[in-house]
Structure formats: structure tokens, C-alpha cells
Amino acid sequence: MEKDKLAHIRHTLAHLLAQAVKGHYPDAHLTLGPAIDDGFYYDIDFPNEKPGEETLSKIEKTMRKNLPAWKEFTHKEVTKEEADEMFAGNTFKLELINEIRDRGETITVYTCGGFTDLCRGGHVENPAKEIAPDSFKLDRIAGAYWRGDEKNPMLTRIYGLAFESKDKLDAYILQREEAKARDHKKLGKELDLFTFSELVGSGLPLWTPKGTLLRDLLDGFVWELRQKVGYERVDIPHITKKELYEKSGHWDKFKDDLFRITTREGHEFAMKPMNCPHHTQIFARKQWSYREMPERYASTTKVYRDEQSGELAGLSRVRSITQDDAHVFCRTNQVEEEIGKIYDIVKTFYGTFGFTLLPRLSLHDPKNMSAYLGTEDVWLSAEEELRNMIKEKGETPIEVIGEAAFYGPKIDFMAKDSIGREWQVATIQLDSNMPERFDLYCINEEGKQERIVMIHAAIMGSIERFMSVLIEHFAGNFPTWLAPVQVAIVQVRENHADYAKSIESELNKEFIRTEMFDADTSLGKRIHAGKATRAPYVIVLGDKEVTAHTLTVEKRDGTKEEVALDIFIENILKEIKSKS
Amino acid sequence: MEKDKLAHIRHTLAHLLAQAVKGHYPDAHLTLGPAIDDGFYYDIDFPNEKPGEETLSKIEKTMRKNLPAWKEFTHKEVTKEEADEMFAGNTFKLELINEIRDRGETITVYTCGGFTDLCRGGHVENPAKEIAPDSFKLDRIAGAYWRGDEKNPMLTRIYGLAFESKDKLDAYILQREEAKARDHKKLGKELDLFTFSELVGSGLPLWTPKGTLLRDLLDGFVWELRQKVGYERVDIPHITKKELYEKSGHWDKFKDDLFRITTREGHEFAMKPMNCPHHTQIFARKQWSYREMPERYASTTKVYRDEQSGELAGLSRVRSITQDDAHVFCRTNQVEEEIGKIYDIVKTFYGTFGFTLLPRLSLHDPKNMSAYLGTEDVWLSAEEELRNMIKEKGETPIEVIGEAAFYGPKIDFMAKDSIGREWQVATIQLDSNMPERFDLYCINEEGKQERIVMIHAAIMGSIERFMSVLIEHFAGNFPTWLAPVQVAIVQVRENHADYAKSIESELNKEFIRTEMFDADTSLGKRIHAGKATRAPYVIVLGDKEVTAHTLTVEKRDGTKEEVALDIFIENILKEIKSKS
């Protein structure tokens, strides 16, 4: 089903919901009811009795009962006076009608199944035929201010889910439940990965030892892949004079998102919202010969964006964003090779975690050349280069016309996680704008200045956001190389402490991360606490193990195995090394 | 010689200088002439002819000629009117006289060798006997605004150097010359370690690949030492709500030094000038049992201070300061052991570079107990603990009464560098204030809340400042494990390229850092460029080496050796591993 069709179904269902609500609550005032990503909602003013969650199934039944009569949508244009009369007493609709009139637009009402609503259209033609009665479901009730403004009255929002079929609806509900169980905010706390402090502020995560370890391992992995293909680390401050962003053009574009500072001497500074302008200043420190190109600079560093409090969510949207950022400064004839290297890193990195990667090629819009820098020839050849490069990797990108940045085409990657959700992850972006603005060049074979290009090449992008995806992807059950606790050691009784400690010390010698569970509680509780770390291996040590000098190792899947220490160490080290 | 005596000598020499200047320039107006760290100066207004650098030796000779007559200082109190008459025509002295009068203080003039000056005293009694004529030297001339204010007239400042003896003077001059040759700003550029950008701003260094590598190696070394004794890394944002610093008390104390931010929603934020308050918020995320203590958090992270432009100097004083910071949260009975561990790290770290470390114990002032938190008993026992701990390490600290922080005693380390300069480096600080303010505790054996203490434990402190010291200490000739280029490879002719590349590739396999010098210039220039990297080893490859399959290796001291590749690799790896 195409995307528009589904949106039309959802919008139609908002009408159907409105009719059902009016049936149960004749005094209710309808306001606005749009389609949304997973269904629809309708914001309704209930002057007297309000429906509770328990009434949703009743309303849903009424919707299903009414649906067969919804055979055809008709619409007509009405005058302002007619509209005012139709919606008399509903101050919300009257406000909307006034606004339509003020914009000089036509006022339309849509009718189906005997129910009429103020509407701009966008429905399916024959709802009874086109909407499966089991493909939607009322979901929940929430409060919502009229038009999202807290100065306005609070309305009741009824959410519904709607998909192409019952199967898709069920799959979505299952995925959502699964996602809820995996919620990174919940798991982050349980696994003690990060915390927030009211004194520090929202959107500013504080990373605990275990969370920091995870971040460092991920960043180390990216660095390992980068180092092999000639990247070097550079280090930059988190602030800059305003002048840098005036020159880069970011000041105009991002002014409102910047944390801005006025120094004691009255100078205007800003915290960096990205790293490229700083990196250009390192490149620009000296003159480069073509023999020295490319230069590849990587920095894992935080950028800051003044997000609105309401937009912040766990690690998915934060104010302090750690980027594993890198920029390649190269000649035009080096672009294909350099982008190819980044492509391989992205594939290897996301592949290691079992994400399915879908590349997307964002192209210029030939009908709108004035929106882009450079001639169409240059664009076509740059795009063809990227296309060939991806094909050589044995992949077929989805091509999206008009999605390129104004200064160059880009490759975006979507990653599908373990419960089927898709996330926009890495982006490889070609940039001829920044080198132009900062006058970056190398001296070529003819001894002349040659304008270079930049490639933006973050792999994780925001480490915070990537961590949120990763935690949910693994439901906290990280592979051994990433697990903050790799081996949980539980001793059965006090007198097994020496053996337990000797085991721990042998593991630690090999840098295997352990946690000892010897608290003064019941054995059951100790084992439970050990497993709660989500360690891939839990070792319970009792008389038998002490006597036989072996280990009983339990994996996450519950399988148990008796094994000698040296074999266990050998296996776990192999597993860590292979990142499996 | 005690410190005061030397200051008296220097102040006396300022008088002697003034007399000599008046001899040569009778119309000169004397203003102020104090003792300074390495000698003295006098700010003088020359209404007509001004002395140049070339006249300094003439004035110096006159000082030496006059010195024998300076046998005794006499002084007398004078009235405002008498003073005004004595210094009639000298608006600067008249301004000073007015101020002394306004403060209600006595006006005194001091006379020696027939020369009288307005002065508060602080001289040696018998200059002719107490000052060796060869222990001082006029140094240089500079401009200086009257009283340091650019709105005032520009005066001529004559600087002199003065020490206890000619030997000490000569040693100082030599050290200063040596220091100039080692200047980290100059070497930093030559070795391409860091750069500044006018667009980013002063005091905000940008670290190049080579400089970043050095920083990372140093930080990695500190981490290696910390990890062995149970430290864990945590990660924190660079900003916070104002509330954190109101609670910690830093808002009041550091308000002016903070980079402050007002968010788009109107909240007050600040960039962190230190990390302890953030670390407390990580500790405070959960309740701790005594069995889990201590917690040791380390973060290498930048702090920001709004320094005045005029105060900034290379890497010595910057606005973006990277700290290798750590805080130990522990019980009172764990303090000695934990501080002992940090002490060992400091010794090992600084010892590795050949710095001589002088520990100093900063104590409370028993005459001023009201300035401190806690009872004298607690102080005495905490100090005794630190004293014993240092003595157990076989050291005798210099004890400084009254230098403790108000919440606890501390250990400061002075490091003496390769040319004899002393730098204040690491500080270990005991802190019971922060845990009090943030209500940090653990649950002790009795199940009760027990207030814990914090230990502040940065090793390098500011990595920028430490790098400035280290660059000058080694004069850029870093030991092999730190050298950005460990082996410079120079090929004699084009046809040696293959052999050169095979050597490079073998070295790179072992992570030995190389740079190839194959530019299209003369062999001499290539060798020069190779040596300019200050690589500990320069390899020149020509016919002989290609035929014999050997290397000719030149060390920094110029000694050359012919050696097989595998032996060379074995030796250099041993050297790197031992950090020698």
C-alpha cells in the first residue's frame, strides 16, 4: 500500500471516531483529528462527563458498527455563514472557520455515513470497502492543550492505531510492547549505564562507569576501523568566537539552536553544534602539497544544542551530544576511494551488531538546479561516482531525488533493528561548500592552488542516540565484548570465597570484566543479582567446583556447562576478539 | 639567603638604578620601582630624550660606580608639604603623596649614597657591603603605562636582574636563554603539535594529529596507572544548570570566571570550570553500602574559564583546559590508603619523565581555626595521617602552615625540570566540604548513614599546561614512546623507494610511528627535514643498505649504527615499552 493511501485511511478513521464519540457523548465538541505515524487521533472537548480508558472499547465497537454504512465521501463548499450555523456552539470549530476565511480559502465540509465534519479532505473514497474492520484499534486517552498551547483549554485526545491489515496492526502492537520492555531509559537505569541529575539539568546525561565503558568500547571499535585506513585524531575546544560560524554560514542557519556566551570582555562566543568548522581550522594551519592529501581528521567530542525541554527524551534527544565525528579533506579525484572506505566502515560497524543496513542515495533535483551549488554536469558525475561505488560493494541503493544537501549528494543508511524498527543512522556527505567558504586548497602537480572537497563521515553520529538504539536492539543483553559485566561470579557460601577470588583474579588478569556476588543474602538472591547484570556468563561456585577445580557456567539462554578455567578463558577471549 | 633579604637587595637596586638614571637624565621623573621575581624595575618618565637598550650598560656602570658610597640607609618622616616640595614638578610622585595622605599614612623618604626617594622601606642596611657588584645586571627596556592603566601616560620601564651572587645571576641568564630556545610556543609550531585560529579565538588551542597523539599517550599512561588501582571512567557534559554551582558554592566564588549561558527558554547555565560537582551527581545516583566503597571516578575532560585576553599565554594559560581529573569517594578510614595510591601514581608519572618531585604538605593555621571547617583534633589527625603516609614513602615534605584549603589539608608537588625551573604540578586534596553540601554518604556496618569524604586527584592537572612544561623540559626531543615520529625514513634516491617502503611497512606493523622523506629535493634537505621532526631515530637508506639488507640508524646525539631490521624493531619496542 502506498504511503498516501494509509494516511487517508487513518484520516478517515478519525472521522469515524468522531461520529462514534458524538453518538455516546452528544454534547462533546469536536476540534481537530489528523492522521499520525501509527494511526490517528481526535482532540475533543467534553464539557460534562469525560470518557475513561474503559470506554474506549465501547466507542471502538460503535465505530465498527457504523463502518458498513460509510460507503462514499461527499463534500461541499459552504459559506462562512453556513459553516457558522453548522458548528454553532463549538468555539473551536468557529475559530478554525474564522481562520480559513481570514486566509481567503474555501470552507469545505465532508460527509460520510451520515456524519459531517469541517475538513480539507484526504480520505479513502469507500471506507466500508477499503478499511478492514480489524485493522484499527483505539489505543489510549491523553490530555492535550487546544492547538498545543498551554494557555489554551485542555482537551481530551483519543488515540487510535491503524494499519493496512490486522496482521500489520498486531505486528505493530507486538513490536511496541517489545520496544516498551526494551525501553532504553528503563534498561539504562537497571543496568546502571547512565543517570540524570536535576541539578545538572535535563538532556544532559551523566555516564556511570558501566555506561562509559560501553561508550569507550564502541568508540574504540570505530577508531580501530578508522585507524586502519589512515585516520588521525585531532582535538578541538567546545567553543568558538561567533566569527567562525559567520564564515561557515552556521550562524544564520543555527543561531537559535546554539548555546551562546558573552565573555566578560563582551565578545560573542558559541558552543559548537558541529565540528566541521573547527576541523577546517586545523587543516588550514599550513599549506598542503597534493602529495600529502588526503588528510583525515577524527574527533570524538561533544556538541551542544539548545533543544527545548519538551523535545528531550532519554538518550534519543539530548542537549550534550557526543559525536564520533570525522572529516576527510581530499582532492576531487580521491572522493570515490575515500567514500568507499567510509562505506566499508559503516557496513562493518553496523553489521557487527546484526543490524540490516539499507543505503539510500540522496540526489539533486534536476528541475530545481538553482537550489544547488555547481553545474548539473558536476552533480551528475559526482552522483554517478557514488552510485558506482555502492554497486561495486554489491548493493543497490534506494535513490531519492531532491534529498541532497545544496552543496553535494549524500549516502544515508537506515538500520533495521532486532524487532524490525528502522533507524536513520550514518550519513556520508560530500561537501564543496565549506572548502569554498574557508578557502581550503592544496598545491597540485602544476604548482597551482586546487580547491579540495570535504567528506563528513560520522559512523555512530550521536553516541547517545546510538546507545539508545543499541540498548533496545539487544534488550540490554550485550554481546560479550560489550557487556559491562562479562562474568558474574556467585559464591554459594562464605567458605567458597577464596576459590571465587582466585577465579576472579585469573579472569581479571586477562582483562575479563567480572562482578562478584558475595553479599550477605540468600543464594537465590545472589544468583538473581548476578543474572540481573545481564552478564553473558554467570558462574556459581560451590563445594563441587572447589573440589573438582572447575566452573559451572550458565549462559543467558539458561544452558549450563561444566568447564575448566583455562578452557573457559580461552573461549571467552576468542569470543571477545571476534566481537561475536 | 632568605627570601626577604633578596627582595630587599632588589628593592635597594631599584633605588641605585634611579640615582644612576637621574645622573644621566636629570630631567627624568621617577615614579615607582619595586623588587620583582628575578630582580627589579623602575618606571620612569623621560620628558625629552629616552634611553635606548644601548645606554643600559652605561647606566649599569654608573650604578656600580655609585654603589661603594651606599653605606647606610637613613629615613625620615616628612609632612605633606615637605614631600610636595621635595618632589615638585614630578606629577607622579605628587599623586602618590596625595594618596598616602588620603589614606592617613605617614609619608617617609629614604636616603642612601646621597640619593633620596619617596619610599616605604624594605632595603638592605649596608648596600655597599651586602650587594656584590657583579650580582646584578640591567636587562631590558619596555614601555609601561603609569599604574598599568592604558588611559595613563606611557612610561619607560628599565628592568634589572639581581641574585645573591654572580654565579646565581649567570645561572639564571643561562636558564632563561635555554628556556627561550625551548619555548613551547615556538617548538609547538615547529613540531606541528597545536595551532590557534583567529576565527576560533585566543586561548582555545586546536590540537593537530601529532599533538593529539602526544596528549592521548600521556592520558593513556595516567589511565594505565589509575586502572591498576581500581579507578573507573565516567563521562559528563560540559554544562550544567546554575543550581549545581549554587549548591556546591562555586557560583559565589567563581561567578566571574564562568562562561555563562542563558538558554532559549531563559534558564541560566554555565560551562563547568571544574568537574567535582558533576562527579558528585554520578555518585549520588544510588545508595552505597560500605562494602562497595571507595568509588573512584576519572574523567579526562575539558573545563572552561573566562580568562582575560591579556592573561592568555601559549598553552600555559588557556580558556579550554583539559583535565585528567579524578575523584575518590571514600570512608574516612580509607583516606590514607587512597591518598597513598595517588601519591604513588604522581611519583611514577613524573619520575618517568625525569622530573624531580618535591612534595609539600599544606596545613591548617592553628592560630586561625575559625577559617576552617571541623575541629582542630580532626585536622591534626588528618594531617598526621598524610605526614606519616609521605614518610612511609621515604620522603620528607616541606610543611606550609596556613596553606590548606578551608575544608582539608593537601599535598602539593613541585616538579624541577631539566633546566632547573620549578613548576607546581599535581595536588592531592582532601575534601569534606563537597560531601557535606551534596549530602553524600554510605551505609556503614551499623546500617547507619556515614558521611564520606572526597579526594581530588588530577595527575597532570591541565594537560595543556603540562604539555607546555613537557615540551620545554625535553626541548621537543621526546622519549621514543612519546615521539610523534619515532623513525624518520630518508631514501637516498628514487630507486631506494621500494626498500624504504618495505621497511616502513614492517615498522608500521608493530605500530612504530614513521614518516617518510622522499620529497623531490636534495638528499641534504631530506635528511634535514627528517631530523627536524626530532625523531629519536633517522634511517637513511641507499645502495649499501639495499644490498646488505640492513639499516643505518642515526640517533639524536649523532651516533650512527648499522643494524638489522629485526634487531632494530626489537630494541625500539623494548624502549617504547619501558618508556625510557
Side-chain angles (χ1 to χ4, degrees):
Chain A
M1 192 181 289
E2 60 179 286
K3 221 175 152 189
D4 278 358
K5 174 83 187 282
L6 187 56
H8 290 169
I9 287 179
R10 287 167 174 166
H11 183 196
T12 301
L13 286 164
H15 282 257
L16 192 67
L17 165 62
Q19 180 190 40
V21 167
K22 285 291 276 187
H24 290 275
Y25 302 87
D27 60 350
H29 296 131
L30 303 171
T31 71
L32 284 167
I36 54 173
D37 268 357
D38 59 1
F40 57 93
Y41 69 75
Y42 215 116
D43 283 348
I44 301 164
D45 177 44
F46 292 93
N48 303 302
E49 192 205 351
K50 287 179 177 55
E53 297 276 350
E54 71 291 349
T55 29
L56 285 188
S57 64
K58 222 164 37 181
I59 300 172
E60 195 181 301
K61 257 186 214 158
T62 308
M63 288 171 72
R64 265 191 210 106
K65 204 181 71 194
N66 294 343
L67 180 58
W70 283 48
K71 291 192 190 303
E72 194 193 358
F73 258 102
T74 58
H75 76 283
K76 65 171 179 180
E77 296 179 8
V78 293
T79 62
K80 160 96 167 75
E81 291 66 33
E82 287 168 329
D84 283 349
E85 205 188 309
M86 290 174 80
F87 297 98
N90 183 332
T91 53
F92 306 100
K93 293 283 189 190
L94 294 177
E95 186 179 322
L96 295 174
I97 290 163
N98 279 335
E99 287 175 14
I100 300 171
R101 191 260 327 263
D102 291 349
R103 285 197 303 268
E105 292 170 11
T106 314
I107 303 168
T108 51
V109 295
Y110 279 75
T111 304
C112 196
F115 174 74
T116 299
D117 202 355
L118 182 73
C119 184
R120 280 190 214 173
H123 313 97
V124 288
E125 287 185 17
N126 184 341
K129 207 172 123 190
E130 294 176 69
I131 302 179
D134 54 3
S135 68
F136 67 89
K137 187 182 181 338
L138 291 188
D139 190 33
R140 64 199 163 94
I141 293 184
Y145 293 108
W146 166 236
R147 314 195 93 171
D149 188 335
E150 58 178 7
K151 291 187 212 93
N152 289 338
M154 173 74 88
L155 306 172
T156 300
R157 176 173 294 179
I158 302 179
Y159 283 100
L161 302 173
F163 288 85
E164 292 90 335
S165 63
K166 180 180 188 321
D167 284 356
K168 293 215 167 156
L169 173 67
D170 289 346
Y172 177 80
I173 292 171
L174 197 71
Q175 188 191 62
R176 198 172 63 168
E177 269 166 27
E178 186 57 45
K180 205 170 149 191
R182 290 163 179 251
D183 178 43
H184 76 273
K185 297 185 285 298
K186 188 174 134 267
L187 283 174
K189 199 178 159 63
E190 268 173 45
L191 299 177
D192 195 21
L193 300 178
F194 57 90
T195 188
F196 288 93
S197 153
E198 273 187 27
L199 291 170
V200 174
S202 46
L204 298 170
L206 300 159
W207 292 88
T208 63
K210 284 180 181 167
T212 307
L213 182 88
L214 252 167
R215 289 164 55 97
D216 288 350
L217 287 167
L218 292 170
D219 188 49
F221 182 26
V222 170
W223 174 238
E224 188 190 314
L225 298 173
R226 279 179 171 157
Q227 199 176 17
K228 278 186 196 150
V229 290
Y231 281 70
E232 298 180 292
R233 278 185 177 139
V234 297
D235 188 87
I236 54 179
H238 298 84
I239 55 175
T240 174
K241 279 162 66 183
K242 177 185 175 180
E243 282 79 353
L244 184 70
Y245 293 146
E246 285 178 334
K247 189 144 186 174
S248 72
H250 288 108
W251 189 259
D252 271 350
K253 264 195 185 153
F254 287 100
K255 212 165 37 202
D256 294 337
D257 298 318
L258 294 178
F259 283 118
R260 296 200 249 164
I261 298 157
T262 304
T263 69
R264 61 159 82 182
E265 291 165 349
H267 299 295
E268 273 200 86
F269 279 60
M271 295 190 76
K272 66 180 163 74
M274 69 274 301
N275 307 305
C276 17
H278 277 85
H279 280 182
T280 67
Q281 295 307 290
I282 297 181
F283 180 81
R285 76 190 181 280
K286 57 168 287 217
Q287 180 160 297
W288 297 95
S289 152
Y290 71 96
R291 302 168 64 110
E292 297 172 288
M293 303 296 291
E295 282 283 292
R296 307 176 193 90
Y297 296 157
S299 299
T300 296
T301 173
K302 288 194 172 59
V303 298
Y304 288 83
R305 293 178 191 168
D306 189 359
E307 302 280 358
Q308 288 175 312
S309 307
E311 305 276 309
L312 301 171
L315 297 180
S316 312
R317 190 91 172 248
V318 291
R319 284 173 168 150
S320 59
I321 305 156
T322 316
Q323 291 187 336
D324 63 331
D325 213 357
H327 295 97
V328 178
F329 299 82
C330 68
R331 305 177 76 183
T332 314
N333 63 14
Q334 295 170 324
V335 165
E336 191 173 339
E337 186 182 343
E338 290 304 316
I339 290 194
K341 286 179 187 169
I342 303 164
Y343 198 95
D344 290 341
I345 293 176
V346 170
K347 294 287 289 180
T348 307
F349 183 79
Y350 286 92
T352 299
F353 306 106
F355 289 109
T356 311
L357 266 198
L358 314 167
R360 205 167 59 181
L361 186 55
S362 296
L363 308 170
H364 77 289
D365 179 356
K367 293 185 203 127
N368 190 19
M369 276 314 296
S370 64
Y372 304 96
L373 285 183
T375 64
E376 181 144 31
D377 278 358
V378 173
W379 274 86
L380 288 171
S381 88
E383 288 167 1
E384 184 60 18
E385 254 184 68
L386 295 187
R387 191 179 289 117
N388 288 338
M389 190 273 297
I390 300 177
K391 281 187 184 152
E392 267 167 38
K393 309 278 178 197
E395 319 243 359
T396 315
I398 300 162
E399 305 205 358
V400 201
I401 289 170
E403 284 286 298
F406 70 95
Y407 46 82
K410 57 181 181 155
I411 303 172
D412 294 310
F413 294 89
M414 301 296 293
K416 196 182 259 191
D417 75 9
S418 60
I419 58 170
R421 292 178 299 178
E422 284 186 12
W423 306 94
Q424 144 92 61
V425 288
T427 292
I428 310 175
Q429 201 159 325
L430 196 57
D431 183 352
S432 50
N433 177 45
M434 204 81 77
E436 196 67 38
R437 283 177 176 265
F438 287 106
D439 191 22
L440 306 181
Y441 59 85
C442 70
I443 301 298
N444 66 15
E445 292 87 341
E446 283 83 49
K448 297 215 175 84
Q449 291 188 2
E450 177 182 305
R451 174 72 65 233
I452 56 141
V453 294
M454 268 174 86
I455 304 167
H456 302 255
I459 306 302
M460 289 185 272
S462 153
I463 296 188
E464 285 74 16
R465 186 165 167 282
F466 180 70
M467 283 278 285
S468 78
V469 172
L470 200 71
I471 292 169
E472 301 191 0
H473 175 63
F474 285 121
N477 296 309
F478 297 107
T480 306
W481 73 279
L482 275 182
V485 182
Q486 294 170 319
V487 182
I489 304 173
V490 181
Q491 60 192 55
V492 174
R493 277 194 312 279
E494 278 284 322
N495 62 343
H496 307 124
D498 286 348
Y499 186 60
K501 269 177 201 149
S502 77
I503 297 292
E504 179 167 49
S505 135
E506 289 302 313
L507 293 172
N508 292 165
K509 264 186 212 156
E510 302 292 337
F511 297 98
I512 296 165
R513 299 183 291 271
T514 56
E515 199 163 314
M516 180 75 85
F517 293 86
D518 54 0
D520 196 11
T521 53
S522 72
L523 177 60
K525 276 189 183 163
R526 287 202 293 278
I527 293 177
H528 181 80
K531 289 185 179 173
T533 62
R534 313 246 177 161
Y537 299 101
V538 179
I539 299 180
V540 180
L541 299 172
D543 285 342
K544 196 181 85 182
E545 286 78 14
V546 171
T547 314
H549 261 271
T550 57
L551 311 173
T552 303
V553 180
E554 182 172 343
K555 292 193 192 175
R556 280 182 192 133
D557 63 8
T559 58
K560 285 184 196 174
E561 189 185 20
E562 203 164 326
V563 63
L565 177 64
D566 53 347
I567 303 291
F568 177 66
I569 290 181
E570 195 182 307
N571 289 341
I572 198 171
L573 288 180
K574 226 179 277 173
E575 201 185 333
I576 291 167
K577 204 175 166 201
S578 69
K579 297 195 170 62
S580 58
Chain B
M1 190 182 291
E2 61 179 286
K3 221 174 152 190
D4 278 358
K5 174 84 187 281
L6 187 54
H8 290 170
I9 286 178
R10 288 167 172 167
H11 182 195
T12 301
L13 285 164
H15 281 257
L16 192 66
L17 166 62
Q19 180 190 42
V21 167
K22 285 292 275 187
H24 290 277
Y25 303 86
D27 59 351
H29 297 130
L30 301 172
T31 71
L32 284 166
I36 54 174
D37 267 357
D38 60 1
F40 56 94
Y41 70 75
Y42 214 115
D43 284 347
I44 301 164
D45 176 45
F46 293 93
N48 301 304
E49 192 204 355
K50 288 178 177 56
E53 296 276 352
E54 71 292 346
T55 29
L56 285 187
S57 65
K58 222 163 44 183
I59 300 172
E60 195 181 300
K61 259 189 208 154
T62 308
M63 288 170 72
R64 267 193 207 102
K65 204 183 72 196
N66 293 344
L67 180 59
W70 283 49
K71 292 194 189 302
E72 195 192 357
F73 258 101
T74 58
H75 76 284
K76 67 172 178 178
E77 296 179 8
V78 294
T79 63
K80 160 93 166 76
E81 290 67 30
E82 288 168 329
D84 281 349
E85 206 188 307
M86 290 175 81
F87 297 97
N90 183 333
T91 53
F92 306 99
K93 293 283 189 192
L94 294 177
E95 186 179 322
L96 296 174
I97 291 163
N98 279 336
E99 287 176 14
I100 301 171
R101 190 260 328 263
D102 291 349
R103 286 196 303 267
E105 292 169 11
T106 316
I107 303 168
T108 50
V109 294
Y110 279 76
T111 303
C112 195
F115 173 75
T116 299
D117 203 354
L118 181 73
C119 185
R120 280 188 214 175
H123 313 97
V124 288
E125 287 186 18
N126 184 339
K129 210 172 119 190
E130 293 175 70
I131 301 179
D134 56 4
S135 68
F136 67 90
K137 184 179 181 343
L138 290 190
D139 189 33
R140 65 200 161 94
I141 293 184
Y145 292 107
W146 166 236
R147 313 195 96 171
D149 188 334
E150 56 177 10
K151 291 187 212 92
N152 289 337
M154 174 73 88
L155 307 172
T156 299
R157 177 173 293 179
I158 302 178
Y159 283 100
L161 301 173
F163 287 85
E164 293 91 335
S165 63
K166 181 181 189 316
D167 284 354
K168 294 216 167 158
L169 173 66
D170 289 346
Y172 177 80
I173 292 170
L174 198 68
Q175 188 191 63
R176 200 171 60 166
E177 271 166 26
E178 187 58 45
K180 207 169 147 192
R182 291 165 177 250
D183 179 44
H184 76 272
K185 296 185 285 298
K186 188 173 134 272
L187 282 175
K189 198 176 160 60
E190 269 174 44
L191 299 177
D192 194 21
L193 300 178
F194 57 89
T195 187
F196 288 93
S197 152
E198 274 188 26
L199 291 171
V200 174
S202 47
L204 298 171
L206 300 160
W207 292 88
T208 63
K210 284 180 181 168
T212 307
L213 181 91
L214 251 167
R215 289 164 55 98
D216 288 350
L217 287 167
L218 292 169
D219 188 48
F221 183 26
V222 170
W223 174 238
E224 185 190 315
L225 299 172
R226 280 180 171 157
Q227 199 175 16
K228 278 187 196 149
V229 291
Y231 282 71
E232 298 179 292
R233 279 186 177 138
V234 295
D235 188 88
I236 54 179
H238 298 83
I239 56 176
T240 174
K241 279 162 65 181
K242 177 186 176 180
E243 282 79 352
L244 183 71
Y245 294 146
E246 284 177 336
K247 188 142 187 176
S248 72
H250 289 107
W251 190 259
D252 272 351
K253 262 195 185 154
F254 287 100
K255 215 166 31 204
D256 294 337
D257 298 318
L258 293 178
F259 282 117
R260 295 201 248 165
I261 297 157
T262 305
T263 69
R264 60 159 83 183
E265 291 165 350
H267 300 296
E268 273 201 85
F269 278 60
M271 294 191 77
K272 66 181 164 72
M274 69 274 301
N275 307 306
C276 18
H278 276 85
H279 280 183
T280 67
Q281 295 307 290
I282 297 182
F283 181 80
R285 77 189 181 279
K286 55 166 288 210
Q287 180 160 294
W288 297 95
S289 151
Y290 71 97
R291 300 168 66 111
E292 298 171 288
M293 302 294 293
E295 281 282 292
R296 308 175 191 91
Y297 296 156
S299 299
T300 296
T301 172
K302 289 195 171 61
V303 298
Y304 287 83
R305 292 179 191 167
D306 191 0
E307 302 280 358
Q308 288 174 314
S309 308
E311 306 275 310
L312 301 171
L315 297 179
S316 312
R317 190 89 171 251
V318 289
R319 285 173 168 151
S320 59
I321 305 155
T322 316
Q323 290 187 337
D324 62 332
D325 212 357
H327 295 97
V328 178
F329 299 82
C330 67
R331 304 176 76 181
T332 314
N333 63 13
Q334 296 170 323
V335 165
E336 190 173 340
E337 188 182 341
E338 290 303 317
I339 290 193
K341 285 178 189 171
I342 303 164
Y343 197 96
D344 290 342
I345 292 175
V346 171
K347 294 287 288 183
T348 306
F349 183 79
Y350 286 92
T352 299
F353 307 106
F355 289 110
T356 310
L357 266 198
L358 313 166
R360 205 167 61 181
L361 186 54
S362 296
L363 308 169
H364 77 289
D365 179 357
K367 292 186 201 124
N368 190 20
M369 275 315 294
S370 64
Y372 303 96
L373 285 183
T375 66
E376 180 142 32
D377 279 358
V378 173
W379 274 85
L380 288 171
S381 88
E383 288 166 0
E384 185 61 17
E385 255 184 68
L386 294 188
R387 191 179 288 116
N388 289 339
M389 190 273 297
I390 300 176
K391 280 187 183 152
E392 268 167 37
K393 308 278 178 196
E395 318 246 358
T396 315
I398 301 160
E399 305 206 358
V400 200
I401 289 170
E403 285 285 300
F406 70 94
Y407 46 81
K410 57 181 180 155
I411 304 172
D412 295 310
F413 294 88
M414 300 297 293
K416 196 182 258 190
D417 74 9
S418 60
I419 59 170
R421 291 177 300 177
E422 285 186 12
W423 305 94
Q424 144 92 61
V425 287
T427 293
I428 309 175
Q429 202 159 325
L430 197 57
D431 183 353
S432 50
N433 176 45
M434 204 80 75
E436 195 68 36
R437 283 176 176 265
F438 287 105
D439 190 22
L440 306 181
Y441 59 86
C442 69
I443 302 297
N444 67 14
E445 293 86 340
E446 282 83 48
K448 297 216 175 86
Q449 291 188 1
E450 178 182 305
R451 175 71 63 235
I452 55 141
V453 295
M454 267 173 87
I455 305 167
H456 303 255
I459 306 302
M460 289 184 269
S462 153
I463 296 188
E464 284 75 17
R465 186 164 168 282
F466 179 69
M467 282 278 285
S468 77
V469 172
L470 200 70
I471 292 169
E472 300 191 1
H473 175 63
F474 284 121
N477 297 310
F478 297 107
T480 305
W481 73 278
L482 275 182
V485 182
Q486 294 170 320
V487 182
I489 304 173
V490 181
Q491 59 192 57
V492 174
R493 275 193 314 279
E494 279 283 323
N495 62 342
H496 306 124
D498 287 346
Y499 186 60
K501 270 177 201 151
S502 76
I503 296 291
E504 180 166 50
S505 137
E506 289 302 312
L507 293 171
N508 291 165
K509 266 186 211 156
E510 302 292 339
F511 296 98
I512 296 165
R513 299 182 291 269
T514 57
E515 199 163 313
M516 179 76 83
F517 293 86
D518 54 0
D520 194 12
T521 54
S522 72
L523 177 60
K525 276 189 183 161
R526 287 201 294 277
I527 293 177
H528 181 80
K531 288 185 179 173
T533 63
R534 312 245 178 164
Y537 300 101
V538 178
I539 299 180
V540 180
L541 299 173
D543 285 340
K544 196 181 87 183
E545 287 78 14
V546 171
T547 314
H549 261 268
T550 57
L551 310 173
T552 303
V553 180
E554 181 171 344
K555 291 193 192 174
R556 280 183 191 132
D557 63 7
T559 58
K560 285 184 197 174
E561 190 185 18
E562 200 164 332
V563 63
L565 177 63
D566 55 346
I567 304 290
F568 177 66
I569 290 181
E570 194 182 308
N571 289 341
I572 198 172
L573 288 180
K574 225 181 276 172
E575 201 186 333
I576 291 167
K577 202 175 166 200
S578 68
K579 296 193 170 66
S580 59

